[in-house]
Amino acid sequence: MSPQRRREDLIGAALELFGARPPEQVSVDDVTAHAGISRPLFYRYFSSVRELQVAALRTVTEGLIDGLAGQATGEPAERLRQAVRGIVDVADRYRAGYVALLRSGSVIATSETDAAVDEVRNRAVEVILDALGETTPSPRVLLTLRCWTAVVEGTLLSWLQEGTMPRAELDGWLVDQLAGMLAVTATHDTR
């Protein structure tokens, strides 16, 4: 197995384990047992379980950014739905990693993971502005878009943990919320 493939397998094993318990409760021994490798082999790829946690969470954020970038052409609302669908797909695939990444007070939160989350949020705002064809948004519009990304994060956290809404309804509902928020902003926006 190539070194890159082995590293990806270790990250995948960690993400699977995060599905059963919080990342801060996953040890090197847990990962090596799950991946079927020795401790010395683990340390060829990662200096610590903390480094593995950060790499795993980075995998989630890269997936979220890729999900946002995967939008198709079409009407703005459909492009936004596709971008939100991409985010939902990644959040669902990396369920525990996503929850760990955004969970308030996580002991694995670092400046690096915080920067990765901010990168996803900034990319989300860029995708929305692009879909809307907006090149010079007002401060209120930018604030609205940042607030909406927080709504999406909170909704996905609740959905992943509680499953209270059918997945098929999420993207349309979230895009409709954005449309409502932007409509209210327009009534207050004097530029």
Side-chain angles (χ1 to χ4, degrees), residues 9-89:
D9 278 356
L10 288 168
I11 290 170
L15 286 168
E16 287 175 21
L17 290 169
F18 294 169
R21 57 186 177 268
E24 58 269 18
Q25 294 178 8
V26 174
S27 69
V28 171
D29 290 335
D30 296 329
V31 174
T32 57
H34 193 71
I37 65 163
S38 66
R39 282 180 69 92
L41 188 55
F42 172 90
Y43 287 110
R44 280 177 146 174
Y45 297 96
F46 297 99
S47 63
S48 66
V49 73
R50 180 106 173 134
E51 183 182 343
L52 173 62
Q53 291 167 339
V54 171
L57 295 178
R58 189 67 177 154
T59 297
V60 174
T61 59
E62 288 170 0
L64 291 169
I65 291 170
D66 290 347
L68 284 166
Q71 65 176 335
T73 58
E75 295 296 315
E78 182 53 30
R79 292 170 65 195
L80 289 173
R81 276 188 184 83
Q82 289 178 17
V84 172
R85 248 181 256 132
I87 292 171
V88 172
D89 288 345

Side-chain angles (χ1 to χ4, degrees), residues 143-154:
L143 184 59
T144 300
L145 298 181
R146 289 186 185 115
C147 289
W148 181 75
T149 62
V151 168
V152 171
E153 289 172 5

Side-chain angles (χ1 to χ4, degrees), residues 1 9-10 48 52 78 81 100 104 106 114 160-161 163 185:
M1 180 178 297
D9 278 356
L10 288 168
S48 66
L52 173 62
E78 182 53 30
R81 276 188 184 83
S104 169
S106 174
D114 289 347
L160 291 170
Q161 294 172 322
T185 296

